[in-house]
Each structure stands twice: as C-alpha cells, then as structure tokens.
Amino acid sequence: MPDSLTLSLDAMGGDAGPEMVLPAAAIAAERHPKIDFLLFGDEQRLRPLLDLQPRLKPRARIHHCDVAIAMNDKPSQALRQGRGKSSMWQTVDAVKRGEAHAAVSAGNTGALMAMSRFILKMIPGIERPALAGQWPTLKGQSVVLDLGATIGADARQLLEFAVMGEAMASCLFGLKQPSVGLLNVGVEEIKGLEEVKKAGRLLRELKLPIHYHGFVEGDDIGKGTVDVVVTEGFTGNIAVKTAEGTARMIGTIVRDAMTSSLLSKFGAVLANSAFRTIKSRLDPSKLNGGLMLGLNGIVVKAHGSSDSLGYATAIDVAVQMAKNGLTAKIAADVEEVNALLAQEPGNGITGPAGEAE
Amino acid sequence: MPDSLTLSLDAMGGDAGPEMVLPAAAIAAERHPKIDFLLFGDEQRLRPLLDLQPRLKPRARIHHCDVAIAMNDKPSQALRQGRGKSSMWQTVDAVKRGEAHAAVSAGNTGALMAMSRFILKMIPGIERPALAGQWPTLKGQSVVLDLGATIGADARQLLEFAVMGEAMASCLFGLKQPSVGLLNVGVEEIKGLEEVKKAGRLLRELKLPIHYHGFVEGDDIGKGTVDVVVTEGFTGNIAVKTAEGTARMIGTIVRDAMTSSLLSKFGAVLANSAFRTIKSRLDPSKLNGGLMLGLNGIVVKAHGSSDSLGYATAIDVAVQMAKNGLTAKIAADVEEVNALLAQEPGNGITGPAGEAE
C-alpha cells in the first residue's frame, strides 16, 4: 500500500465532539505528513475549528452531515435515524466507497459496530465481528479480543478471533509471529468451557499459520504472557471493565493516601517523576484505538472519553492497519484456515461459513 | 448458636503448610477466646510447632493423618488417594460428624471442593456449588461469586448464587439487606447472555427476599456499586484473576518507578505512611477466606499462598459464618425462593431441584 493515505473521521463522535477531534487530526497531520483527512460533521461547527489549524487545513476536507448519532442512542435507533446522512454513517461509507483507507470514530460503540457491519459487510469466511483493544502489560502491550461485539462464541468463531487478533498484533507491533493464547479458567487441557477446549484442540492440532501458546488465565493478561488474548465478548467485556475498575480503584486509593498528610504530599512531590513514569505506562491515551475486526474495511473506535492526544493515537492505529494491509491479511489468513479445516473433516466443525450478511 | 465453637483446620494445606497454619491458629486463638481447634495433619510435624504456642496448646487437639493432598493434585486423584485418611478429608469430615462448626483449608481448591461436595452434600434445593470471595472496593468490600466452582450456570443457578451470596454478605458484613447485582455487559435489560437476562427478570419480578439492584458491569465491582456481585464461574474466575493481574502489574510499575532514582526513593520514604495505608486497603491478608457455598456445612478456603495473618483472617470468616448460622440461613432462603418459583409456573424454570448428589 502507498505511503499516502486518506482517513475519514467522524468529527461529531465522542463526549467532547469536534472541539476534541479537530485538534487530534492536527496532531496526526504533524505525525503523518502524507495523510489526508475527510471530516464528517456539522460544517458550521467544523469550519471555524479547522481555521484554527493552519497545518491541517490544506489536507482536510469537510463534508457536511445533518445528523450526529448521540452517545446513548440504541444501535437500532442509530441505524434508522442515521442511515445515509449521519456523520458516523458517512465516515464508514467513505471506506466502502474507496474514498478513505480507514475510518475513525469516538462515537457510540454499538451504533458504530452496527453501521460498520451494515455498510462494509463481513470478510468472507468470518462469521461474527470482534472488537479488539490494546492492553497495557508488564512487557508492553497485548491485543485482547473480543471486548463485547459478539456475546457468546463457538469454537469456530474463537478460531476466527485468533486469526484476526494475530493479524492485528502483527500489523500493530510489527511482529512476524505474535503468540496467541485462549483465555480460560486454567491452563490444563481438561479445564473450562466446552467451546474453549474445542478451539484449543483445533489450534493445537491443525497446522494453522498461528503461533498458538495454549490457554492463559486472567492474570496472564497483565503479565503479557502472550501477544494476543482470545475470548468471547461477554467474558472479554467483563475482563476489560474489571481491569479498568481495579486500576481506577487503586488510583483513587493512592491519590487519597498521598494527599492525606503534609509529609506524604511532600513525598509525592519528590517522587513526581516516578509518578509521571507510572502514568505514562498506564496512560489510556497511549493505548487508544479499539479495532472492529472481521469487516471488509478498517474501522477504529476511539474511546468515547478520548482527549485529542488519545484520539491521535487511535488515528495512529488506523494508519498502521491501513499501511500494513490488515483487511487483506485477515482475508488471506481465514482462507488458509478454512482450507485446513476442510481437509480435516473429523474436527467437528462445518465447512467455511458464507458471508454473514 | 453458642459463642463457643470448634473449628477444624487442615494443617497440611497451603504452600507453607503447618509452619504457617499453627501460628495462624495461635493468632485466631487470641482473637477468639472461646474457640477450640482440631488440627489435622502429620503429628510429628505438628507437635513441636504446637509446643511453641503455649496459649493455643490447651485449646487445640492434633489428629494424625498419614496423607497430605498436594497443591497440584487433580481433584479426582485427591479424592481417590485422600479419601478417609488425608488431612483435608478429615478436616471436612469433622464438620460432617458434628465435631466442628466449620472447616478451614489453604489446600488445593479443586480437591477441597470435590471432597467437600462428596462429604457434606449439597443443601437441598441448591443445584451447584459456588466459590465466593471478598473483593476490595472503594466503599470497603463486596462479595463476588462464583469464582470458578461452577463453569456455566443457567438462570436458576444464578438465582441460587444470588441467594447464597446475599446470605454470606449479611453474615460477613452484618448487613440486614445487602444489595445484589448480576454481572453483565451492560445495565440495560436487553443486553447480555440469555441466562443472565432471564435471571435478571426473575430477580425483578418474583417477590424474592433479596434487595436486587439490577445488572452491574465489570467496573462496578471495584466501585462497590453493590454488596454482592453474581456471575457464573467462568466469567467470575477470569474477572478475579484479571483484577489480581492488573493490581500486580500496577504494583510492579509503581515499585520500579519509585526506586528508579534517589529522589523518588527519598519521596517514597516520606510517603511511607501513605503507602502503608494503600497496602492495608488492598492487603490480601485482610480479605482472605473464600467460601464454598451451597454445601451442608461451612468450608472456608484460605489462599494457597496465605501467610499466618491471612490464614487467621480466613479463620475469622469461618467464625462469622458459624456464629451467624450461614448454612441454616441459606437453606431457609432457598426454600422460600423455591416456594415462590413454584407459585409462578410461567417463569420458565422447573420446580425445586432435588439434592444434586
């Protein structure tokens, strides 16, 4: 793929909307000199904000949209009201039309997933989509999926998630062979849910083009035991929110304790650079950019509460994926997996799935 | 129930074994002047350790057992080899025989669950057991279950978990009406797994003797949104281990950062009392004591890596449960629930279950 790319941005998405997205695009424009931007949203609000960004301006085009999807709209409602004319729809549709190489939105996750599926359709051979995120670990970061796009998954879908997560990790971290683990309640082969055990058996026994590590447990995620952690959306969503809640709880306790006395406050000032290191290693703005996997096109979901720096990181992810040809890689990998599955009729899994929609 | 209780302790369980358990019993003996102890294990190892604890000695009886269950034995193997003669078996059997009011072990979780189920049997009306733990929150602590005893649970079992968790929280925290939440991927009624939605409907619509809050998400656990968080064992196990992994990761990052320069080290010394506060609020030894719920008797699982202080906390939990009549409370509550379920034939749940074994 060429160095020069075009990204479409949903300028209305996120808690902070255009006032956050446009400065983010300006940061990204600095970081990536060969990238152009399509900005979808309310022109009256976007125009003066773009005028404030002289370096972005010559490389960005505003496309007016009448409708903005609210953060709490139901996906079905968003599809109905936002079809065709909302900034979110137009942002994704630009990828479909071939006008952009990737789309980024900080809007309503459910609505973005529903629209993206509707517009882009699934990659042939992939049954269900997954939302993948980056997870800070002791070794750096890992990809974890599914974070809630697909509630419940059978062995075949877990296999597809493994293929998609592996493709994302290799594009994102530049790894030749990222290691992949299946999230389970124990590392022994006899433990866990039937579908997880079956997926584990397939990953071990079929000669898939995947470096399969085996089962991993909840505490392996933070350790960074594998590059890619695979689970279905119910467990994945609860795991990621539990981790967020734990980090927030510890953060609050630390802050309360450090400001509880003059001495501890003084200590906190002296240890300030240490706190900055800690913050930077856990900083959500450095890990922003969930990926909607399984679609015929690249859609990056920035966190709803992103600031401009966080949103710029989500743009970085979109750039990495587009440059490294994520969609083509997944399509090729899944074709290979389906060919292997077809050669082993005794695997208890039916032939390759057609396009889901 | 009388103030005077007898507890049976598996003196061989845990990574550190008798050298950890006996000092723990001594701490508990100080805290609870009216409690006697039955110590099961290798008499040759236990006798000299007991001689070192002059206050515990007159209130403890050693019962020699030839076999100790290893921490990594498979449950089936442990049942076969440890039946009748192992310290773990004898510890639980003392409750069955009516010689002890509650049992405590830091041994192999799977083996302890298998033996406890085999020896004590389930409370009539409860289908599957649950392992419940205490979770540190911003408000104090909550009960979370199931942490891995029952992989996959239907709506009826989730209802039973709610009843059992509520009984535990009221015995443990002294609350009249602990609030109960169902763990889900969203708080709206339309979201999540079928069985979770069905359990939620029953908890809302039946007039159960439970203060049902509604769905909670992963980040609500650390917030302390409810006193009792209910989920099935696969998700619960992954949630608790993910939280442990996150806390450990943050702890490591903080320690590394605080010792990275002379200035930050100096700051850390000044903020020492703050760090002590943080540690005490997150200290696992203050939250030790998982409960095996649903059995005809009280079995407390101390963490395998417990130190004596942690194990003493597990003993505290056993004392609280025995004093407050946990087993009778669960039996009465579940009978009430079953009566209500029987009155509502349209609830999609079959009549009360018989004893599972």
Side-chain angles (χ1 to χ4, degrees), chain B residues 64-93:
Chain B
H64 177 71
C65 301
D66 278 331
V67 179
I69 303 297
M71 292 304 276
N72 50 5
D73 279 353
K74 297 223 168 90
S76 55
Q77 193 181 355
L79 259 181
R80 225 170 23 244
Q81 293 167 358
R83 188 171 179 161
K85 54 195 174 202
S86 65
S87 63
M88 187 184 277
W89 180 285
Q90 286 291 326
T91 301
V92 177
D93 204 48

PDB file of all heavy atoms in Angstrom, chain B residues 64-93:
ATOM      1  N   HIS B  64      -3.715 -37.127  63.978  1.00  0.00           N
ATOM      2  CA  HIS B  64      -2.728 -37.526  62.981  1.00  0.00           C
ATOM      3  C   HIS B  64      -3.384 -38.029  61.687  1.00  0.00           C
ATOM      4  O   HIS B  64      -4.342 -38.801  61.718  1.00  0.00           O
ATOM      5  CB  HIS B  64      -1.821 -38.620  63.541  1.00  0.00           C
ATOM      6  CG  HIS B  64      -0.832 -39.103  62.527  1.00  0.00           C
ATOM      7  ND1 HIS B  64       0.230 -38.333  62.100  1.00  0.00           N
ATOM      8  CD2 HIS B  64      -0.773 -40.254  61.802  1.00  0.00           C
ATOM      9  CE1 HIS B  64       0.899 -38.994  61.177  1.00  0.00           C
ATOM     10  NE2 HIS B  64       0.316 -40.169  60.976  1.00  0.00           N
ATOM     11  N   CYS B  65      -2.839 -37.576  60.551  1.00  0.00           N
ATOM     12  CA  CYS B  65      -3.279 -38.088  59.244  1.00  0.00           C
ATOM     13  C   CYS B  65      -2.025 -38.447  58.455  1.00  0.00           C
ATOM     14  O   CYS B  65      -1.066 -37.675  58.413  1.00  0.00           O
ATOM     15  CB  CYS B  65      -4.044 -37.024  58.462  1.00  0.00           C
ATOM     16  SG  CYS B  65      -5.506 -36.410  59.303  1.00  0.00           S
ATOM     17  N   ASP B  66      -2.054 -39.598  57.799  1.00  0.00           N
ATOM     18  CA  ASP B  66      -0.893 -40.073  57.042  1.00  0.00           C
ATOM     19  C   ASP B  66      -0.691 -39.323  55.734  1.00  0.00           C
ATOM     20  O   ASP B  66       0.420 -39.144  55.270  1.00  0.00           O
ATOM     21  CB  ASP B  66      -1.093 -41.566  56.692  1.00  0.00           C
ATOM     22  CG  ASP B  66      -0.711 -42.456  57.861  1.00  0.00           C
ATOM     23  OD1 ASP B  66       0.157 -42.045  58.653  1.00  0.00           O
ATOM     24  OD2 ASP B  66      -1.313 -43.548  57.994  1.00  0.00           O
ATOM     25  N   VAL B  67      -1.825 -38.907  55.148  1.00  0.00           N
ATOM     26  CA  VAL B  67      -1.756 -38.388  53.775  1.00  0.00           C
ATOM     27  C   VAL B  67      -1.998 -36.878  53.755  1.00  0.00           C
ATOM     28  O   VAL B  67      -2.854 -36.376  54.488  1.00  0.00           O
ATOM     29  CB  VAL B  67      -2.816 -39.094  52.890  1.00  0.00           C
ATOM     30  CG1 VAL B  67      -2.795 -38.561  51.465  1.00  0.00           C
ATOM     31  CG2 VAL B  67      -2.597 -40.605  52.902  1.00  0.00           C
ATOM     32  N   ALA B  68      -1.214 -36.195  52.942  1.00  0.00           N
ATOM     33  CA  ALA B  68      -1.486 -34.776  52.685  1.00  0.00           C
ATOM     34  C   ALA B  68      -1.716 -34.607  51.179  1.00  0.00           C
ATOM     35  O   ALA B  68      -0.963 -35.145  50.372  1.00  0.00           O
ATOM     36  CB  ALA B  68      -0.314 -33.920  53.145  1.00  0.00           C
ATOM     37  N   ILE B  69      -2.765 -33.864  50.825  1.00  0.00           N
ATOM     38  CA  ILE B  69      -3.068 -33.617  49.410  1.00  0.00           C
ATOM     39  C   ILE B  69      -2.095 -32.566  48.884  1.00  0.00           C
ATOM     40  O   ILE B  69      -1.955 -31.497  49.485  1.00  0.00           O
ATOM     41  CB  ILE B  69      -4.521 -33.102  49.257  1.00  0.00           C
ATOM     42  CG1 ILE B  69      -5.529 -34.094  49.856  1.00  0.00           C
ATOM     43  CG2 ILE B  69      -4.844 -32.794  47.802  1.00  0.00           C
ATOM     44  CD1 ILE B  69      -5.576 -35.444  49.195  1.00  0.00           C
ATOM     45  N   ALA B  70      -1.435 -32.873  47.765  1.00  0.00           N
ATOM     46  CA  ALA B  70      -0.502 -31.896  47.193  1.00  0.00           C
ATOM     47  C   ALA B  70      -1.276 -30.772  46.507  1.00  0.00           C
ATOM     48  O   ALA B  70      -2.417 -30.955  46.086  1.00  0.00           O
ATOM     49  CB  ALA B  70       0.426 -32.579  46.187  1.00  0.00           C
ATOM     50  N   MET B  71      -0.631 -29.589  46.418  1.00  0.00           N
ATOM     51  CA  MET B  71      -1.306 -28.417  45.853  1.00  0.00           C
ATOM     52  C   MET B  71      -1.668 -28.622  44.384  1.00  0.00           C
ATOM     53  O   MET B  71      -2.585 -27.977  43.880  1.00  0.00           O
ATOM     54  CB  MET B  71      -0.435 -27.166  46.000  1.00  0.00           C
ATOM     55  CG  MET B  71      -0.243 -26.683  47.433  1.00  0.00           C
ATOM     56  SD  MET B  71      -1.807 -26.362  48.318  1.00  0.00           S
ATOM     57  CE  MET B  71      -2.170 -24.683  47.771  1.00  0.00           C
ATOM     58  N   ASN B  72      -0.932 -29.488  43.684  1.00  0.00           N
ATOM     59  CA  ASN B  72      -1.227 -29.658  42.254  1.00  0.00           C
ATOM     60  C   ASN B  72      -1.875 -31.001  41.918  1.00  0.00           C
ATOM     61  O   ASN B  72      -1.954 -31.380  40.752  1.00  0.00           O
ATOM     62  CB  ASN B  72       0.048 -29.436  41.426  1.00  0.00           C
ATOM     63  CG  ASN B  72       1.208 -30.248  41.969  1.00  0.00           C
ATOM     64  OD1 ASN B  72       1.022 -31.047  42.909  1.00  0.00           O
ATOM     65  ND2 ASN B  72       2.379 -30.071  41.402  1.00  0.00           N
ATOM     66  N   ASP B  73      -2.335 -31.745  42.911  1.00  0.00           N
ATOM     67  CA  ASP B  73      -3.083 -32.975  42.627  1.00  0.00           C
ATOM     68  C   ASP B  73      -4.377 -32.633  41.895  1.00  0.00           C
ATOM     69  O   ASP B  73      -5.016 -31.613  42.179  1.00  0.00           O
ATOM     70  CB  ASP B  73      -3.451 -33.706  43.929  1.00  0.00           C
ATOM     71  CG  ASP B  73      -2.293 -34.530  44.481  1.00  0.00           C
ATOM     72  OD1 ASP B  73      -1.252 -34.629  43.788  1.00  0.00           O
ATOM     73  OD2 ASP B  73      -2.417 -35.053  45.597  1.00  0.00           O
ATOM     74  N   LYS B  74      -4.756 -33.503  40.971  1.00  0.00           N
ATOM     75  CA  LYS B  74      -6.064 -33.339  40.336  1.00  0.00           C
ATOM     76  C   LYS B  74      -7.151 -33.708  41.343  1.00  0.00           C
ATOM     77  O   LYS B  74      -6.953 -34.605  42.169  1.00  0.00           O
ATOM     78  CB  LYS B  74      -6.172 -34.262  39.116  1.00  0.00           C
ATOM     79  CG  LYS B  74      -5.167 -33.934  38.026  1.00  0.00           C
ATOM     80  CD  LYS B  74      -5.821 -33.992  36.647  1.00  0.00           C
ATOM     81  CE  LYS B  74      -4.917 -33.392  35.593  1.00  0.00           C
ATOM     82  NZ  LYS B  74      -4.032 -34.402  34.996  1.00  0.00           N
ATOM     83  N   PRO B  75      -8.321 -33.051  41.274  1.00  0.00           N
ATOM     84  CA  PRO B  75      -9.396 -33.372  42.231  1.00  0.00           C
ATOM     85  C   PRO B  75      -9.723 -34.867  42.273  1.00  0.00           C
ATOM     86  O   PRO B  75      -9.880 -35.429  43.355  1.00  0.00           O
ATOM     87  CB  PRO B  75     -10.577 -32.549  41.706  1.00  0.00           C
ATOM     88  CG  PRO B  75      -9.953 -31.388  41.026  1.00  0.00           C
ATOM     89  CD  PRO B  75      -8.673 -31.906  40.427  1.00  0.00           C
ATOM     90  N   SER B  76      -9.801 -35.530  41.102  1.00  0.00           N
ATOM     91  CA  SER B  76     -10.163 -36.957  41.075  1.00  0.00           C
ATOM     92  C   SER B  76      -9.103 -37.795  41.786  1.00  0.00           C
ATOM     93  O   SER B  76      -9.408 -38.692  42.573  1.00  0.00           O
ATOM     94  CB  SER B  76     -10.310 -37.418  39.627  1.00  0.00           C
ATOM     95  OG  SER B  76      -9.134 -37.126  38.908  1.00  0.00           O
ATOM     96  N   GLN B  77      -7.838 -37.454  41.529  1.00  0.00           N
ATOM     97  CA  GLN B  77      -6.699 -38.118  42.148  1.00  0.00           C
ATOM     98  C   GLN B  77      -6.729 -37.901  43.668  1.00  0.00           C
ATOM     99  O   GLN B  77      -6.553 -38.837  44.456  1.00  0.00           O
ATOM    100  CB  GLN B  77      -5.464 -37.443  41.548  1.00  0.00           C
ATOM    101  CG  GLN B  77      -4.133 -38.089  41.746  1.00  0.00           C
ATOM    102  CD  GLN B  77      -3.039 -37.207  41.084  1.00  0.00           C
ATOM    103  OE1 GLN B  77      -3.343 -36.192  40.424  1.00  0.00           O
ATOM    104  NE2 GLN B  77      -1.789 -37.576  41.264  1.00  0.00           N
ATOM    105  N   ALA B  78      -6.999 -36.662  44.077  1.00  0.00           N
ATOM    106  CA  ALA B  78      -7.049 -36.330  45.506  1.00  0.00           C
ATOM    107  C   ALA B  78      -8.157 -37.121  46.199  1.00  0.00           C
ATOM    108  O   ALA B  78      -7.972 -37.636  47.308  1.00  0.00           O
ATOM    109  CB  ALA B  78      -7.279 -34.827  45.681  1.00  0.00           C
ATOM    110  N   LEU B  79      -9.306 -37.218  45.520  1.00  0.00           N
ATOM    111  CA  LEU B  79     -10.427 -37.968  46.100  1.00  0.00           C
ATOM    112  C   LEU B  79     -10.042 -39.432  46.274  1.00  0.00           C
ATOM    113  O   LEU B  79     -10.345 -40.049  47.295  1.00  0.00           O
ATOM    114  CB  LEU B  79     -11.649 -37.884  45.183  1.00  0.00           C
ATOM    115  CG  LEU B  79     -12.749 -36.901  45.546  1.00  0.00           C
ATOM    116  CD1 LEU B  79     -13.878 -36.984  44.542  1.00  0.00           C
ATOM    117  CD2 LEU B  79     -13.303 -37.159  46.952  1.00  0.00           C
ATOM    118  N   ARG B  80      -9.374 -39.998  45.279  1.00  0.00           N
ATOM    119  CA  ARG B  80      -9.001 -41.409  45.313  1.00  0.00           C
ATOM    120  C   ARG B  80      -7.979 -41.657  46.408  1.00  0.00           C
ATOM    121  O   ARG B  80      -8.139 -42.539  47.241  1.00  0.00           O
ATOM    122  CB  ARG B  80      -8.403 -41.798  43.957  1.00  0.00           C
ATOM    123  CG  ARG B  80      -8.915 -43.108  43.419  1.00  0.00           C
ATOM    124  CD  ARG B  80      -8.532 -43.395  41.981  1.00  0.00           C
ATOM    125  NE  ARG B  80      -7.366 -42.713  41.489  1.00  0.00           N
ATOM    126  CZ  ARG B  80      -7.395 -41.812  40.504  1.00  0.00           C
ATOM    127  NH1 ARG B  80      -8.520 -41.480  39.926  1.00  0.00           N
ATOM    128  NH2 ARG B  80      -6.280 -41.235  40.098  1.00  0.00           N
ATOM    129  N   GLN B  81      -6.916 -40.860  46.388  1.00  0.00           N
ATOM    130  CA  GLN B  81      -5.811 -41.130  47.315  1.00  0.00           C
ATOM    131  C   GLN B  81      -6.069 -40.581  48.717  1.00  0.00           C
ATOM    132  O   GLN B  81      -5.511 -41.072  49.690  1.00  0.00           O
ATOM    133  CB  GLN B  81      -4.517 -40.514  46.772  1.00  0.00           C
ATOM    134  CG  GLN B  81      -4.053 -41.200  45.490  1.00  0.00           C
ATOM    135  CD  GLN B  81      -2.969 -40.416  44.774  1.00  0.00           C
ATOM    136  OE1 GLN B  81      -2.588 -39.334  45.211  1.00  0.00           O
ATOM    137  NE2 GLN B  81      -2.485 -40.954  43.668  1.00  0.00           N
ATOM    138  N   GLY B  82      -6.901 -39.555  48.796  1.00  0.00           N
ATOM    139  CA  GLY B  82      -7.049 -38.890  50.092  1.00  0.00           C
ATOM    140  C   GLY B  82      -8.304 -39.278  50.839  1.00  0.00           C
ATOM    141  O   GLY B  82      -8.531 -38.829  51.971  1.00  0.00           O
ATOM    142  N   ARG B  83      -9.114 -40.108  50.216  1.00  0.00           N
ATOM    143  CA  ARG B  83     -10.390 -40.483  50.818  1.00  0.00           C
ATOM    144  C   ARG B  83     -10.202 -41.112  52.196  1.00  0.00           C
ATOM    145  O   ARG B  83      -9.460 -42.071  52.355  1.00  0.00           O
ATOM    146  CB  ARG B  83     -11.078 -41.478  49.886  1.00  0.00           C
ATOM    147  CG  ARG B  83     -12.459 -41.780  50.318  1.00  0.00           C
ATOM    148  CD  ARG B  83     -13.204 -42.576  49.280  1.00  0.00           C
ATOM    149  NE  ARG B  83     -14.534 -42.825  49.811  1.00  0.00           N
ATOM    150  CZ  ARG B  83     -15.565 -43.158  49.078  1.00  0.00           C
ATOM    151  NH1 ARG B  83     -15.438 -43.293  47.781  1.00  0.00           N
ATOM    152  NH2 ARG B  83     -16.731 -43.366  49.633  1.00  0.00           N
ATOM    153  N   GLY B  84     -10.870 -40.568  53.167  1.00  0.00           N
ATOM    154  CA  GLY B  84     -10.825 -41.148  54.511  1.00  0.00           C
ATOM    155  C   GLY B  84      -9.609 -40.742  55.321  1.00  0.00           C
ATOM    156  O   GLY B  84      -9.720 -40.309  56.458  1.00  0.00           O
ATOM    157  N   LYS B  85      -8.428 -40.758  54.695  1.00  0.00           N
ATOM    158  CA  LYS B  85      -7.237 -40.635  55.521  1.00  0.00           C
ATOM    159  C   LYS B  85      -6.458 -39.327  55.392  1.00  0.00           C
ATOM    160  O   LYS B  85      -5.580 -39.055  56.201  1.00  0.00           O
ATOM    161  CB  LYS B  85      -6.306 -41.808  55.239  1.00  0.00           C
ATOM    162  CG  LYS B  85      -5.964 -41.985  53.784  1.00  0.00           C
ATOM    163  CD  LYS B  85      -5.343 -43.360  53.509  1.00  0.00           C
ATOM    164  CE  LYS B  85      -5.179 -43.495  52.007  1.00  0.00           C
ATOM    165  NZ  LYS B  85      -5.080 -44.814  51.491  1.00  0.00           N
ATOM    166  N   SER B  86      -6.752 -38.521  54.377  1.00  0.00           N
ATOM    167  CA  SER B  86      -5.948 -37.301  54.231  1.00  0.00           C
ATOM    168  C   SER B  86      -6.388 -36.239  55.230  1.00  0.00           C
ATOM    169  O   SER B  86      -7.509 -36.254  55.733  1.00  0.00           O
ATOM    170  CB  SER B  86      -6.082 -36.754  52.803  1.00  0.00           C
ATOM    171  OG  SER B  86      -7.405 -36.350  52.566  1.00  0.00           O
ATOM    172  N   SER B  87      -5.481 -35.297  55.505  1.00  0.00           N
ATOM    173  CA  SER B  87      -5.797 -34.218  56.448  1.00  0.00           C
ATOM    174  C   SER B  87      -6.970 -33.383  55.922  1.00  0.00           C
ATOM    175  O   SER B  87      -7.825 -32.929  56.688  1.00  0.00           O
ATOM    176  CB  SER B  87      -4.573 -33.331  56.677  1.00  0.00           C
ATOM    177  OG  SER B  87      -4.185 -32.707  55.468  1.00  0.00           O
ATOM    178  N   MET B  88      -7.022 -33.198  54.580  1.00  0.00           N
ATOM    179  CA  MET B  88      -8.110 -32.397  54.014  1.00  0.00           C
ATOM    180  C   MET B  88      -9.451 -33.098  54.224  1.00  0.00           C
ATOM    181  O   MET B  88     -10.438 -32.483  54.649  1.00  0.00           O
ATOM    182  CB  MET B  88      -7.854 -32.154  52.521  1.00  0.00           C
ATOM    183  CG  MET B  88      -8.837 -31.199  51.871  1.00  0.00           C
ATOM    184  SD  MET B  88      -8.554 -31.046  50.089  1.00  0.00           S
ATOM    185  CE  MET B  88      -7.244 -29.828  50.044  1.00  0.00           C
ATOM    186  N   TRP B  89      -9.495 -34.361  53.930  1.00  0.00           N
ATOM    187  CA  TRP B  89     -10.717 -35.141  54.107  1.00  0.00           C
ATOM    188  C   TRP B  89     -11.186 -35.068  55.566  1.00  0.00           C
ATOM    189  O   TRP B  89     -12.345 -34.778  55.852  1.00  0.00           O
ATOM    190  CB  TRP B  89     -10.494 -36.611  53.708  1.00  0.00           C
ATOM    191  CG  TRP B  89     -11.714 -37.453  53.873  1.00  0.00           C
ATOM    192  CD1 TRP B  89     -12.237 -37.909  55.062  1.00  0.00           C
ATOM    193  CD2 TRP B  89     -12.595 -37.900  52.850  1.00  0.00           C
ATOM    194  NE1 TRP B  89     -13.386 -38.625  54.830  1.00  0.00           N
ATOM    195  CE2 TRP B  89     -13.623 -38.635  53.470  1.00  0.00           C
ATOM    196  CE3 TRP B  89     -12.602 -37.758  51.453  1.00  0.00           C
ATOM    197  CZ2 TRP B  89     -14.658 -39.226  52.744  1.00  0.00           C
ATOM    198  CZ3 TRP B  89     -13.629 -38.358  50.740  1.00  0.00           C
ATOM    199  CH2 TRP B  89     -14.643 -39.075  51.373  1.00  0.00           C
ATOM    200  N   GLN B  90     -10.269 -35.327  56.473  1.00  0.00           N
ATOM    201  CA  GLN B  90     -10.613 -35.375  57.893  1.00  0.00           C
ATOM    202  C   GLN B  90     -11.103 -34.013  58.400  1.00  0.00           C
ATOM    203  O   GLN B  90     -11.995 -33.929  59.238  1.00  0.00           O
ATOM    204  CB  GLN B  90      -9.390 -35.823  58.715  1.00  0.00           C
ATOM    205  CG  GLN B  90      -9.084 -37.316  58.577  1.00  0.00           C
ATOM    206  CD  GLN B  90     -10.156 -38.179  59.242  1.00  0.00           C
ATOM    207  OE1 GLN B  90     -10.730 -37.802  60.259  1.00  0.00           O
ATOM    208  NE2 GLN B  90     -10.451 -39.327  58.639  1.00  0.00           N
ATOM    209  N   THR B  91     -10.487 -32.966  57.870  1.00  0.00           N
ATOM    210  CA  THR B  91     -10.874 -31.606  58.272  1.00  0.00           C
ATOM    211  C   THR B  91     -12.339 -31.344  57.924  1.00  0.00           C
ATOM    212  O   THR B  91     -13.107 -30.824  58.745  1.00  0.00           O
ATOM    213  CB  THR B  91      -9.973 -30.570  57.558  1.00  0.00           C
ATOM    214  OG1 THR B  91      -8.618 -30.831  57.910  1.00  0.00           O
ATOM    215  CG2 THR B  91     -10.336 -29.159  57.961  1.00  0.00           C
ATOM    216  N   VAL B  92     -12.729 -31.716  56.702  1.00  0.00           N
ATOM    217  CA  VAL B  92     -14.112 -31.511  56.275  1.00  0.00           C
ATOM    218  C   VAL B  92     -15.041 -32.506  56.981  1.00  0.00           C
ATOM    219  O   VAL B  92     -16.148 -32.152  57.414  1.00  0.00           O
ATOM    220  CB  VAL B  92     -14.229 -31.642  54.736  1.00  0.00           C
ATOM    221  CG1 VAL B  92     -15.681 -31.512  54.284  1.00  0.00           C
ATOM    222  CG2 VAL B  92     -13.363 -30.582  54.044  1.00  0.00           C
ATOM    223  N   ASP B  93     -14.562 -33.739  57.130  1.00  0.00           N
ATOM    224  CA  ASP B  93     -15.396 -34.778  57.737  1.00  0.00           C
ATOM    225  C   ASP B  93     -15.736 -34.434  59.198  1.00  0.00           C
ATOM    226  O   ASP B  93     -16.779 -34.851  59.705  1.00  0.00           O
ATOM    227  CB  ASP B  93     -14.694 -36.133  57.642  1.00  0.00           C
ATOM    228  CG  ASP B  93     -15.681 -37.292  57.710  1.00  0.00           C
ATOM    229  OD1 ASP B  93     -16.705 -37.237  56.984  1.00  0.00           O
ATOM    230  OD2 ASP B  93     -15.455 -38.232  58.496  1.00  0.00           O
TER     231      ASP B  93
END
